[in-house]
Amino acid sequence: MTELSAYEQEREANIARNRALLEQLGLKDEVSTFGVQLKPKPAPKPKAKPIQPSKRVKREATAEAPRRQSTRLRKDLVDPNETPEQKRKREAEDGERRRKEEGERLQAEEQARLAKRPRKQDLDISTLTAAEELDDEDIGALRGSLQAVTNASIPRRIGDVGEKEVAALRKRLGKMKVVARAKVTIDRVYSAAYHPEPTKDLIFFGDKHGQLGIWDARAPMDEVADEDSDITPANEKEGQHWPATSKSSISSIRIDPIDSHNLYTTSYDCTIRQLSLVAGISQQIFSSPDVLITSLDSHPSGHEMWISDASGGVTHLDLREGATRARCVSINPTSPHLLLAASNSRSLKLWDTRKLEGLTLSKHSSAVPLEYDFDKVQGFVESKKGSGLLRGEHTHGKSVSSAYWDPRGRSIVSTSYDDTLRLWELDAGKYDSSPVFPSFTPFSRIKHNCQTGKWLTILRAVWNSNPDVYPHFTGDLIARLSDPQRITATQAVTCSHPSVVERCATGNGSGRCVLWAPLDS
């Protein structure tokens, strides 16, 4: 065999390098010209479906106040050949237009100034719904809806306890489906309350900008679909706690425990208002000039309430007199002197307010509220005289969002950012004489995602006030409500009917609300 020359050896080496390079690049046709057979590669696995882009948030167009502009900016063209008569006419029209624009600007500034002022005077239904521009017929229909729930008495009762009752409850709740949907408020739902009238489904929703939506969910209505295919009912009306601003979010809604025809709303503008369904009048009953009000709870007698604020303080308000302040908050319905206080410091504390009498000064004017700072209360707790003021304390892994007594006054549920719901079972009557509870450790811990983020209302686990339900809370799952075809947004706020078991209302971050009930109800 003839030995290859140096040139031919270099040529063969170049061909081998090029063949290897083409194989790496996956160029099959070019490789085949060199007489190389490649093995077929397996079919690639299907890739995951790409994440759909999020929908853009629709921002409402805000009407700007008219601004003054010069003739040069308006680019008004002046005829150089106009006659003196035409010039006088043009100048008169320009002067009239400027006066009109100035009047509109002053009127808009005055309206903006009035909107920022708190309304301490009593407000009737027509004033509360002024932003909706309702006619006399609509206002009359709203008054009729509110009056309808004031004509029936709602007696209190106690539910039965037993395994059969629990099985029956699970069966009844399992039949609940979506029976009504509506956009009740314009902005994010912050709070909700269900009226106890058993023959109606009257639900109140408070939103981010101070609107109180009143939804008669089961009344006949003319349905009109909006752009998101949700129903805007004709029987849904909106009122306002205050003029709609970012500082007037309705943080909580409570129904009077004695007179269900009165409704209390707390707002981030440091005020509390009472809405009478009978008179249709909303009046301010409390205001705090310096701290945000986060929630309230009413005494079983209906004459007192405790109000929590964002600074960690709690105010005791006697509706018959005035306000006194202490560092405590949820009222035990059977032992009203026992209060729960949940805080961002990860602690849940149980207080006995009867011991606060030792902290009260001997001489003081009833017209002047008493105020005690944290150091004053802490010093009193550590003293011999203050023994028994702090009855129990439990530290969570992270901030505690809420803590509530159940309607019997025996159980406690807390919600924490450590993604855990905790349950306590306490018989307050047995330990009424002891300074502290023998044990303040939860008997059950339920894992739950409590990270609501920026766009959702803070998650708070609450008790169902219906007597046919609340004796059965053992930590076991009774029912899970969902409808992926119709409900896709997170339902951050919920409330249950106090008199009917198979009734539940939920609200999301865009003001859309859902009523859950059996389809055959």
Side-chain angles (χ1 to χ4, degrees), residues 46-266:
K47 296 182 179 180
K49 184 178 180 181
I51 299 176
Q52 298 296 328
S54 58
K55 295 182 179 179
R56 294 184 178 179
V57 180
K58 297 179 181 179
R59 297 184 178 180
E60 298 179 0
T62 56
E64 295 184 358
R67 293 177 294 181
R68 299 181 63 182
Q69 291 184 349
S70 64
T71 304
R72 178 180 61 82
L73 294 178
R74 286 199 305 266
K75 297 181 180 180
D76 289 345
L77 300 178
V78 178
D79 186 3
N81 300 322
E82 66 178 354
T83 63
E85 181 66 23
Q86 292 175 338
K87 181 178 180 180
R88 287 192 295 270
K89 182 178 179 181
R90 176 176 57 81
E91 291 177 348
E93 292 176 351
D94 292 343
E96 180 66 24
R97 184 177 66 252
R98 284 194 296 269
R99 285 191 295 271
K100 183 178 180 180
E101 291 177 353
E102 183 68 14
E104 292 176 351
R105 184 181 64 84
L106 294 176
Q107 183 180 3
E109 291 179 353
E110 180 67 14
Q111 291 178 352
R113 184 182 66 84
L114 293 177
K116 295 180 180 180
R117 295 179 56 187
R119 299 182 180 180
K120 297 183 178 180
Q121 71 275 19
D122 295 350
L123 307 174
D124 58 11
I125 290 294
S126 59
T127 304
L128 292 172
T129 58
E132 300 302 311
E133 300 181 355
L134 303 179
D135 54 22
D136 294 339
E137 183 179 355
D138 292 333
I139 295 178
L142 177 58
R143 291 183 184 274
S145 298
L146 299 180
Q147 287 288 344
V149 301
T150 63
N151 299 327
S153 60
I154 305 171
R156 295 186 175 184
R157 54 194 176 86
I158 299 177
D160 298 326
V161 183
E163 295 182 0
K164 294 183 179 179
E165 286 75 15
V166 175
L169 177 64
R170 181 177 285 107
K171 183 178 179 180
R172 295 171 66 180
L173 295 181
K175 298 180 179 179
M176 295 174 62
K177 304 294 181 183
V178 177
V179 297
R181 294 183 300 163
K183 184 170 176 60
V184 181
T185 61
I186 295 179
D187 293 289
R188 182 197 312 176
V189 175
Y190 265 40
S191 53
Y194 216 126
H195 194 275
E197 165 58 35
T199 61
K200 295 182 71 67
D201 290 292
L202 192 63
I203 313 165
F204 303 88
F205 291 95
D207 80 344
K208 179 180 178 181
H209 279 69
Q211 285 192 325
L212 178 65
I214 306 174
W215 187 26
D216 191 355
R218 301 297 289 271
M221 58 189 177
D222 298 329
E223 296 185 348
V224 179
D226 61 11
E227 67 252 11
D228 294 324
S229 299
D230 280 336
I231 300 301
T232 302
N235 61 309
E236 172 267 318
K237 308 299 179 187
E238 293 177 355
Q240 290 185 359
H241 177 103
W242 246 254
T245 66
S246 58
K247 296 182 180 180
S248 57
S249 305
I250 298 180
S251 53
S252 66
I253 305 174
R254 291 290 183 273
I255 296 177
D256 193 318
I258 300 300
D259 184 1
S260 60
H261 311 326
N262 290 330
L263 191 75
Y264 298 105
T265 57
T266 65

Side-chain angles (χ1 to χ4, degrees), residues 362-519:
S362 57
K363 295 182 180 180
H364 72 279
S365 174
S366 60
V368 180
L370 296 176
E371 295 192 16
Y372 303 105
D373 58 18
F374 177 78
D375 295 334
K376 178 74 173 179
V377 176
Q378 188 65 25
F380 181 74
V381 170
E382 296 173 355
S383 66
K384 183 177 180 181
K385 194 175 182 180
S387 176
L389 175 59
L390 182 60
R391 300 287 297 276
E393 182 176 4
H394 181 79
T395 302
H396 294 62
K398 291 185 179 180
S399 172
V400 187
S401 303
S402 64
Y404 297 107
W405 288 101
D406 78 326
R408 300 174 301 166
R410 299 180 184 177
S411 300
I412 300 172
V413 60
S414 71
T415 308
S416 173
Y417 270 99
D418 60 5
D419 291 340
T420 306
L421 308 181
R422 292 170 173 84
L423 293 171
W424 285 260
E425 186 70 24
L426 303 172
D427 193 346
K430 292 183 179 180
Y431 310 115
D432 200 34
S433 58
S434 60
V436 295
F437 284 102
S439 175
F440 197 62
T441 303
F443 76 90
S444 178
R445 290 175 170 84
I446 304 173
K447 287 297 180 181
H448 191 283
N449 184 3
C450 303
Q451 310 301 318
T452 53
K454 180 180 179 181
W455 305 108
L456 291 177
T457 303
I458 297 176
L459 175 66
R460 297 182 176 91
V462 296
W463 297 96
N464 190 323
S465 58
N466 192 308
D468 291 333
V469 176
Y470 67 74
H472 311 309
F473 278 100
T474 60
D476 298 331
L477 180 65
I478 297 294
R480 186 189 301 275
L481 306 179
S482 64
D483 190 342
Q485 301 298 326
R486 305 176 67 184
I487 308 298
T488 57
T490 301
Q491 305 297 297
V493 179
T494 65
C495 61
S496 301
H497 200 301
S499 304
V500 183
V501 174
E502 310 97 324
R503 292 288 190 281
C504 179
T506 60
N508 65 12
S510 64
R512 291 176 175 82
C513 305
V514 180
L515 175 64
W516 305 79
L519 297 177

